[in-house]
Amino acid sequence: MSASRGAGTTRRPAGRSQDVDQAMKVSTAFRPDTAPHGKLQWQQLVKWLLEDGQITAEDHRRIEQRFAAGASSQHPLVRLGGAGLARASDGRTLDAEALTEWLAGRAKLPYLRIDPLKVDVGRVADFMSITYAEAHRVLPVQFALNEITVATCEPFDTEWVAEIEAHARKTVRLVVASPLELQRYTTEFFTLAKSVRAAQKQGETGAIASFEQLVELGKAKGTLDANDQGVVQVVDWLWQYAFDQRASDIHLEPRREMGAIRFRIDGVLHTVYQLPPTVMNAMTSRIKLLGRMDVVEKRRPQDGRIKVRNPRGDEVEMRLSTLPTAFGEKLVMRIFDPETTVKDVSGLGFASHDAERWSTLVAQPHGIILVTGPTGSGKTTTLYSTLKKLATDEVNVCTVEDPIEMIEPSFNQTQVQQALDLGFADGLRALMRQDPDIIMVGEIRDLETAEMAIQAALTGHLVFSTLHTNDSPSAITRLTDLGVPAYLISATVIGVLAQRLVRMLCPACKQRDDSVDAEHLQELVKPWRLSGAVKAYKPVGCLDCRMTGYRGRAGLFELLLINEPIKAALHPTPDLRALRRHAIKEGLRPLRMAGMMKVAEGVTTIDEVLRCTPAWAEGM
């Protein structure tokens, strides 16, 4: 079994991006006759830093005076990294990682940040001993048919390369890694691999260091139990890795031969690993057990929730959902990190134009406010953030949700229970007798729920709900499709907010894009017009963003206020084109326009906006 991607993230230093596979094609070692040989010395490193303009002459003298007093067992990169050096050009701290990246560039080798999830730990231990790895400060990180990639923090000490190539009958390709990472993972990998071997001999599970070891254990035992220590550890490890990668969703997908684990990061799914069905089933059972779900029942969809702690020690809630498939139960875990899920309204990303209109809208005493968009477009974040602002001690905020996305102490939240005949309409009917001021209905799915929401609005309540439509005017026609009369829509609906999420450019590596100018953007937003300067950027890729060029997401919003001109367009029956024309006249800025404004500000790219937003200039 092998990982779906490489053992880590490689790149050339100084911000230049390249594909991982291309990076791995760099020459195995920098070994011309004029190149230095042997282990690194701090004196040589300081001299090179001065030659390359990384440090000043004053820093050079200071380091020589400080280090001349005595020797140290620390690696020279670690020792220099703790000396408080700053790069002469930009003042950036030259810590051990920055120095390692610089050294990789000087040695003309790729720099690699080791990712433990992508290393076959069992093969590492089989390939060389811990004594050999520590002596030469090397660690195998990737195995291919005819080559092996080895990470080192001594790029000029290559006498061992020929020995390894002869032993393994494979070509050695060198990458440079931080000595701190090498020390950490060398100890961890070999120690855990030793524990697993000993445990397998005794018929025990032992400590599991990676999915490969769990797979081998599963093959040895034939079946795995949800409470096996190995399963427990690998599930915990999976969660911590997902938090580290900023994943919003974890997918465990059973397949015929090998199951897939995928993370949704910044709205895009990434395959993380593949593993046999026996291991997948054990992991699913373990998670269901912790989520208080029926472990035995595998034929019906189930929902659950679980609380865990992220590496910072903060409590994070996850919503669980299982679905029977042809090859077993598919499990999706949606991660609700309080730091990113519930924000201040000011932090949602509204443009100033729409922020004022939204604040005015939610301050109304009664009416229906709809938030629309596809799954994963940020509707929950917008609703929770808005309701949290409105939920003061003077008002009673009640919600009916399916399921409850996050527990919020300032709300009174009700879970839909279809098995108990408690649907949205039934829950809303019950809430009407609970003296509410503000009501949130998770979704309007049918006419009965829509009618109850209308009754709540007509009796003096402010009602929030969601619909799945492509833009804000389409929400009106969607209500008519459900059977709601136009006169009730005009009497109760006071606003519709459509939204999307686009990936933001990584601030650490984005570069100016001279190919995008005002005329280019203007062509994409016709018949609307953009004003102001254009500062467009393009994605590059760096270690901070895992070479994608994007980090985080920003909201795009389209707010339709149902005022008198819009109400007039609803009669006798709503016409979508007429609604759109009236909405533009009344100040609506479409999602495409909002996206292009983000492009002009250098927040995202044209491709991202075109991918996420509908083009409804057509037919206007």
Side-chain angles (χ1 to χ4, degrees), residues 218-239:
K219 290 178 179 178
K221 294 179 61 177
T223 59
L224 287 168
D225 184 78
N227 291 315
D228 281 351
Q229 186 62 29
V231 177
V232 172
Q233 292 186 7
V234 80
V235 168
D236 290 340
W237 187 24
L238 174 66
W239 286 335

Side-chain angles (χ1 to χ4, degrees), residues 106-379:
R106 188 173 181 91
K108 295 182 173 58
L109 292 171
Y111 172 73
L112 179 134
R113 177 177 290 175
I114 299 175
D115 188 339
L117 194 61
K118 300 167 188 172
V119 178
D120 189 336
V121 180
R123 296 190 67 180
V124 169
D126 292 338
F127 189 78
M128 65 174 61
S129 67
I130 186 172
T131 304
Y132 191 93
E134 290 178 338
H136 295 283
R137 287 174 170 163
V138 296
L139 185 67
V141 292
Q142 188 177 29
F143 301 87
L145 183 62
N146 297 316
E147 66 184 32
I148 177 172
T149 302
V150 179
T152 180
C153 59
E154 296 286 353
F156 306 113
D157 181 18
T158 57
E159 294 181 356
W160 56 270
V161 171
E163 180 180 299
I164 290 296
E165 288 181 336
H167 170 72
R169 298 182 181 179
K170 294 182 179 182
T171 302
V172 170
R173 296 193 180 275
L174 289 183
V175 294
V176 180
S178 165
L180 294 174
E181 285 194 348
L182 279 173
Q183 181 181 2
R184 170 190 171 187
Y185 291 120
T186 298
T187 303
E188 180 179 324
F189 290 171
F190 282 96
T191 301
L192 291 173
K194 180 179 179 180
S195 299
V196 170
R197 287 199 190 100
Q200 286 179 328
K201 289 179 181 179
Q202 299 171 7
E204 301 173 358
T205 56
I208 302 301
S210 70
F211 285 122
E212 287 90 348
Q213 296 185 25
L214 184 65
V215 169
E216 294 302 321
L217 182 58
K219 290 178 179 178
K221 294 179 61 177
T223 59
L224 287 168
D225 184 78
N227 291 315
D228 281 351
Q229 186 62 29
V231 177
V232 172
Q233 292 186 7
V234 80
V235 168
D236 290 340
W237 187 24
L238 174 66
W239 286 335
Q240 298 306 314
Y241 185 67
F243 298 147
D244 181 60
Q245 299 300 307
R246 301 177 292 106
S248 61
D249 300 83
I250 306 172
H251 292 241
L252 272 62
E253 303 176 348
R255 308 284 172 80
R256 184 186 298 275
E257 299 295 336
M258 300 287 285
I261 295 178
R262 300 199 288 172
F263 291 168
R264 186 177 296 278
I265 304 172
D266 293 334
V268 179
L269 279 170
H270 300 268
T271 299
V272 175
Y273 225 85
Q274 295 182 342
L275 62 165
T278 53
V279 181
M280 177 76 74
N281 292 339
M283 293 176 64
T284 300
S285 297
R286 171 66 183 171
I287 296 168
K288 287 174 64 178
L289 186 66
L290 295 175
R292 299 181 181 181
M293 303 161 70
D294 189 344
V295 179
V296 177
E297 179 57 71
K298 301 178 185 293
R299 299 169 299 174
R300 292 188 298 107
Q302 295 186 64
D303 293 310
R305 53 193 335 107
I306 192 172
K307 289 184 179 181
V308 297
R309 293 195 177 275
N310 61 21
R312 300 187 304 269
D314 302 325
E315 190 175 77
V316 175
E317 188 166 312
M318 291 192 290
R319 192 185 75 195
L320 314 178
S321 175
T322 65
L323 181 71
T325 69
F327 304 109
E329 278 187 297
K330 180 180 186 296
L331 175 65
V332 175
M333 292 167 273
R334 172 157 290 186
I335 301 171
F336 293 100
D337 190 335
E339 290 193 1
T340 57
T341 303
V342 181
K343 306 177 181 179
D344 292 333
V345 175
S346 59
L348 292 175
F350 280 106
S352 58
H353 171 75
D354 286 331
E356 296 175 3
R357 301 166 77 220
W358 179 251
S359 297
T360 302
L361 181 64
V362 300
Q364 299 299 311
H366 55 80
I368 298 176
I369 299 174
L370 299 173
V371 180
T372 74
T375 301
S377 60
K379 299 188 298 295

Side-chain angles (χ1 to χ4, degrees), residues 345-494:
V345 175
S346 59
L348 292 175
F350 280 106
S352 58
H353 171 75
D354 286 331
E356 296 175 3
R357 301 166 77 220
W358 179 251
S359 297
T360 302
L361 181 64
V362 300
Q364 299 299 311
H366 55 80
I368 298 176
I369 299 174
L370 299 173
V371 180
T372 74
T375 301
S377 60
K379 299 188 298 295
T380 298
T381 299
T382 300
L383 283 172
Y384 272 62
S385 300
T386 302
L387 288 174
K388 190 172 183 179
K389 179 183 178 181
L390 298 175
T392 63
D393 292 338
E394 290 77 25
V395 297
N396 177 20
V397 179
C398 300
T399 72
V400 183
E401 305 174 62
D402 183 23
I404 295 174
E405 300 281 7
M406 279 196 65
I407 303 298
E408 174 53 52
S410 56
F411 308 161
N412 299 293
Q413 297 170 283
T414 302
Q415 168 78 50
V416 166
Q417 300 281 355
Q418 296 292 350
L420 303 176
D421 294 328
L422 177 60
F424 280 118
D426 304 293
L428 187 50
R429 188 178 293 109
L431 284 186
M432 293 287 288
R433 299 190 290 271
Q434 290 288 313
D435 187 29
D437 296 290
I438 299 173
I439 298 172
M440 195 271 277
V441 184
E443 183 182 352
I444 294 179
R445 299 175 179 174
D446 49 41
L447 178 58
E448 185 181 9
T449 305
E451 288 176 340
M452 287 304 305
I454 288 171
Q455 290 299 317
L458 288 174
T459 53
H461 302 93
L462 184 61
V463 181
F464 290 85
S465 190
T466 68
L467 280 176
H468 291 280
T469 60
N470 288 330
D471 53 36
S472 51
S474 298
I476 304 300
T477 56
R478 172 62 178 156
L479 290 176
T480 61
D481 291 341
L482 290 176
V484 180
Y487 73 90
L488 287 178
I489 296 176
S490 63
T492 56
V493 179
I494 59 175

Side-chain angles (χ1 to χ4, degrees), residues 71-76 79 137:
S72 173
S73 59
Q74 284 186 313
H75 190 277
R79 193 179 183 191
R137 287 174 170 163

Side-chain angles (χ1 to χ4, degrees), residues 512 516-522 525 528-536 589 593 596-602:
R512 286 296 297 267
V516 179
D517 53 23
E519 293 183 1
H520 188 191
L521 292 181
Q522 195 63 57
V525 298
W528 302 279
R529 296 192 60 82
L530 285 172
S531 61
V534 173
K535 297 180 180 179
R589 291 181 178 177
M593 170 70 90
M596 292 307 167
M597 291 174 64
K598 296 287 188 185
V599 173
E601 295 168 2

